[in-house]
Amino acid sequence: MAILANCRFDPMQFAYLKSRSTTQAVLLVVEKLKQGLIEGSKAGIVFFDFTDAFGRVDRKCLLYKLAKDFGITGKLFLHIASFLLDRMARVKVNGHYGDWVSSMFGTSAGTNLGPLLFIMYLHDIPKRIFPKFADDLVSVAVDSDILLIT
């Protein structure tokens, strides 16, 4: 995992990374809005939250991005590919467990590696959508012309 920590993560991603927090992400949004409103501009904001985002990751696409965009190759790549293959999952509700089922998609959010892989999967979301906190994304627009915000 230390090697993955050296990857150039999106500076607007605040989840699961050392020295980044929800507070920083919220302050970024508040400051952008505040500055625009002080200047007399209009502001618009859209919040995105994807349902079961960790569970919907296309693993082949993720592996492609890891190699192409992050330069992960060799033993680390093979280790990650092995981690993603032949996954099984089950649900726990009130202390009761469901049956094990084969998991064809996802990054296994309940693991240490899964969330890092997830934010690597989302790294190429358009730069105008920020800040990012895993699958919680924000798009802030501030302009004097309301038509440029909508």
Side-chain angles (χ1 to χ4, degrees):
M1 293 263 275
I3 293 172
L4 287 180
N6 295 331
C7 289
R8 283 175 271 146
F9 288 101
D10 182 341
M12 290 295 127
Q13 176 60 257
F14 291 90
Y16 307 113
L17 298 173
K18 194 173 190 171
S19 302
R20 300 188 196 183
S21 71
T22 308
T23 303
Q24 290 172 309
V26 169
L27 287 174
L28 185 70
V29 171
V30 169
E31 282 301 312
K32 183 168 177 82
L33 290 172
K34 183 179 86 173
Q35 188 62 40
L37 295 175
I38 287 171
E39 294 170 358
S41 295
K42 312 287 188 275
I45 188 165
V46 178
F47 295 91
F48 303 88
D49 183 19
F50 299 102
T51 302
D52 190 28
F54 285 76
R56 295 179 188 263
V57 170
D58 181 318
R59 292 178 182 158
K60 289 179 184 176
C61 183
L62 170 61
L63 290 170
Y64 176 79
K65 288 180 178 189
L66 293 177
K68 180 182 170 280
D69 301 340
F70 290 90
I72 295 175
T73 60
K75 289 183 180 181
L76 178 58
F77 182 85
L78 293 174
H79 175 73
I80 293 170
S82 175
F83 170 79
L84 293 171
L85 284 176
D86 300 323
R87 302 292 301 187
M88 300 292 287
R90 66 181 176 172
V91 176
K92 177 183 175 186
V93 178
N94 296 329
H96 299 281
Y97 293 91
D99 294 332
W100 286 102
V101 295
S102 180
S103 174
M104 303 294 294
F105 294 90
T107 62
S108 301
T111 65
N112 289 330
L113 183 57
L116 282 179
L117 293 175
F118 180 80
I119 63 174
M120 294 171 93
Y121 183 71
L122 289 186
H123 83 94
D124 53 358
I125 285 178
K127 299 294 183 206
R128 286 190 49 102
I129 298 176
F130 71 89
K132 302 170 184 114
F133 198 83
D135 67 327
D136 297 310
L137 312 174
V138 180
S139 181
V140 181
V142 177
D143 199 286
S144 59
D145 185 350
I146 192 73
L147 295 175
L148 294 176
I149 294 173
T150 58

